[in-house]
Amino acid sequence: MAPYTLRWGIISTGWICTQFTQDLLVDPKSRSVSDVSHKVAAVGSRSVESAQIFINKLKSAKDDDGWSWGVNNGLLDDTKPLGTYDEVYNDSDVDAIYVGTPNTMHHQCAKAALLAGKHVLCEKPFCLNSAELEELISIARSKNLFLMEVVWVRFHPIAYALEEVLRAGQLGKPQRFFGDLSFDNKMDTQDPSSRLLNPSLGGGSLLDLGPYPALWAMLLLHRHPLNQDKNPKLLFSHQTVYERTGVDLNTRWCLEWKGLCQGLLSTDLASFGLKTGSIVLQCEHGDLLIDYPPYRAESFEIHPKPDLASDKEGVQKASRHHHPIAPGNYGMSYEADEVARCIRDGRQQSDRMPWEESLLVQGWFDQIIRDGNTKLKDLRGTEGQ
C-alpha cells in the first residue's frame, strides 16, 4: 500500500522554516517510516523572488545533506514560490500549513490558514496569550481541521524511551524537578530590533526558550503514570528585565502537581545551561538527568541516590542511555510524520500534543507575563480580529 502523502505549504523563509522543510525532504525510510511521506507544495514569502531563493537554496543540497534525497527524487520540482501568505492558504494543492513566522504573527497566520480550510502546524510559542489560542482551537473544532503546536521533542526517540523508563517504575515516585534552557546570547552586542530583544516581536527568554523546560515538565511530570493532577498550579515566578529593550533577560517559575511534586523551571539569555543535567527528575529510588540541549537531547543518565541515602530496592548503578535522532534528520521529521498520520486518520489533535496541554502551558506564560514587569505586558493579541 502506498504511503499517505501530505502536501505542505510553508509560511515564512527563516532559519526554522529551513530546518523543517529540509526534514520534509529526507527519505522517510531513514527513520524507519513507510506509512506516510511529505511533499512541499508551496512556499510563501514577502515576494516571489524571496520564496524562489528559499527553494533554490534547498535544491543546492550536497550529496551528504539529508534532504538531498528529496531534491534528487523531484520533491521540489513542482514547489510554487508565492509572494503572499494568502496565496499559500488558498492553494488547492496544499493540505497543511507550517507557520514559522515571528511569535507575534502566529495567531493571525494560523487563523487565516484554518479559515481557508487548511490543517495547521504552528511554531512555539503557539500564541501570545490564551485568548488567541482558544480562538484557534474553536475554529479548528468547528471546521474539523487538525491543529497542533510545534513541540517536536515529544516525538523524538528519547521521549519514547523516557516514557518507558517512567512506566517501568524503577525510579519510583518523583520528588522534585529542575528544567532549564539557557544561552549566553551576548545581549549587549545584539541589535535591539532583533527578534529576541524586541518586545513588539514577543522577544525575551520566556516565549522563545520557555516552551522547552515546560515540555519536559509535561513529559516527565504531567504525563507521569502516578500523576493525578491535571491542573498543576503556578506557585510563583520572577523575571529579570533587560533594561535596554524591556524584555525578560531571564525567567524562573515554580509549578506544583498536587500529590506528586514541585518543579522549578528557568530560562536565561545571559548564561549557558549545564551540559549534563539541564533537565533533572529526582525520584525516590534514583535520579534522571537529561543532556543539553533540551530542545534536541539524545542522551540521558540514571543515577543511584548518594550513599548516605542508600536504597537497597532502588537504582544500584549509574547507567547512560543514547537514543539518537536518525541520521540525516534534524529532528522535525518525526513531528511532521505525526501530523500526516493524524490528518490521514481524520484526527483534529495529536494524543501526544493535545490542545489541553498547549492551553495549560500558555496559561502559565500568561500569568508569568502579568506578574512580571516586562514590556510584553503591554503586548495585545489579535484574537477577534
Side-chain angles (χ1 to χ4, degrees):
M1 185 176 180
Y4 172 79
T5 300
L6 186 62
R7 303 173 300 173
W8 288 90
I10 308 299
I11 297 300
S12 192
T13 54
W15 179 85
I16 195 64
C17 290
T18 300
Q19 299 299 322
F20 181 76
T21 308
Q22 287 173 352
D23 265 14
L24 295 180
L25 301 172
V26 176
D27 185 357
K29 293 179 181 177
S30 68
R31 53 189 184 273
S32 301
V33 168
S34 59
D35 61 323
V36 295
S37 62
H38 308 276
K39 181 175 176 60
V40 184
V43 174
S45 188
R46 290 169 294 181
S47 67
V48 172
E49 291 75 18
S50 61
Q52 187 62 60
I53 289 171
F54 179 85
I55 295 169
N56 290 344
K57 287 182 178 178
L58 292 169
K59 287 184 175 180
S60 66
K62 301 180 178 63
D63 290 341
D64 58 350
D65 289 327
W67 69 96
S68 63
W69 178 88
V71 176
N72 295 335
N73 283 274
L75 297 189
L76 288 176
D77 289 355
D78 300 321
T79 303
K80 303 171 189 176
L82 300 175
T84 66
Y85 295 162
D86 284 341
E87 290 176 88
V88 183
Y89 305 146
N90 293 297
D91 191 322
S92 60
D93 292 326
V94 171
D95 302 313
I97 299 292
Y98 170 78
V99 176
T101 54
N103 297 342
T104 48
M105 296 179 64
H106 287 179
H107 170 262
Q108 56 188 298
C109 290
K111 180 178 178 179
L114 290 168
L115 290 175
K118 305 302 185 188
H119 306 287
V120 171
L121 176 65
C122 183
E123 264 299 335
K124 57 80 189 164
F126 216 151
C127 292
L128 289 179
N129 58 50
S130 297
E132 285 189 341
L133 179 51
E134 288 167 353
E135 184 176 56
L136 294 184
I137 292 172
S138 177
I139 296 171
R141 183 178 282 118
S142 67
K143 296 179 76 68
N144 195 30
L145 292 168
F146 179 83
L147 172 68
M148 190 173 84
E149 180 181 12
V150 170
V151 189
W152 51 317
V153 182
R154 285 182 181 240
F155 305 95
H156 285 183
I158 192 173
Y160 291 93
L162 286 166
E163 192 175 67
E164 289 301 314
V165 169
L166 298 182
R167 187 180 292 121
Q170 67 187 94
L171 297 178
K173 184 180 178 181
Q175 294 178 318
R176 58 181 182 170
F177 170 89
F178 301 92
D180 173 74
L181 177 56
S182 298
F183 291 106
D184 186 358
N185 198 52
K186 311 296 184 188
M187 297 284 275
D188 292 343
T189 69
Q190 303 295 322
D191 182 347
S193 66
S194 64
R195 178 180 62 85
L196 279 178
L197 275 70
N198 191 339
S200 67
L201 295 178
S205 77
L206 176 65
L207 292 184
D208 194 72
L209 307 180
Y212 291 105
L215 86 85
W216 284 111
M218 295 300 289
L219 285 175
L220 301 181
L221 294 179
H222 195 73
R223 286 178 165 251
H224 194 284
L226 297 178
N227 179 44
Q228 300 296 316
D229 184 3
K230 299 306 178 183
N231 188 30
K233 298 297 187 294
L234 174 62
L235 301 180
F236 61 83
S237 64
H238 170 77
Q239 292 190 292
T240 299
V241 178
Y242 181 62
E243 297 294 344
R244 189 156 69 109
T245 63
V247 301
D248 65 297
L249 182 66
N250 58 58
T251 294
R252 316 278 188 257
W253 69 105
C254 186
L255 303 166
E256 181 177 46
W257 280 261
K258 189 175 182 179
L260 193 73
C261 76
Q262 295 178 355
L264 184 63
L265 288 70
S266 64
T267 59
D268 205 318
L269 289 171
S271 174
F272 276 104
L274 295 172
K275 185 173 182 179
T276 299
S278 58
I279 307 296
V280 177
L281 179 66
Q282 294 186 282
C283 301
E284 58 183 338
H285 298 315
D287 299 331
L288 173 69
L289 288 76
I290 300 174
D291 286 355
Y292 191 93
Y295 56 83
R296 201 173 179 274
E298 295 184 312
S299 299
F300 64 89
E301 297 177 357
I302 295 176
H303 288 269
K305 290 295 185 181
D307 291 341
L308 54 86
S310 60
D311 182 353
K312 293 182 179 180
E313 296 181 1
V315 175
Q316 298 299 306
K317 184 178 179 181
S319 58
R320 185 165 179 81
H321 308 263
H322 189 50
H323 297 275
I325 293 166
N329 298 262
Y330 183 72
M332 305 188 82
S333 46
Y334 299 94
E335 180 177 58
D337 294 340
E338 172 72 2
V339 175
R341 291 185 182 109
C342 287
I343 292 173
R344 177 197 64 191
D345 298 341
R347 287 183 282 161
Q348 291 185 272
Q349 53 184 313
S350 166
D351 293 339
R352 289 190 69 84
M353 187 62 252
W355 297 338
E356 65 177 352
E357 294 189 16
S358 287
L359 280 167
L360 187 58
V361 174
Q362 189 77 59
W364 298 339
F365 291 177
D366 287 358
Q367 185 175 339
I368 291 168
I369 291 171
R370 285 196 303 268
D371 293 344
N373 197 32
T374 71
K375 288 187 177 180
L376 270 69
K377 291 179 72 169
D378 303 321
L379 205 58
R380 295 291 174 261
T382 55
E383 67 277 5
Q385 299 179 21

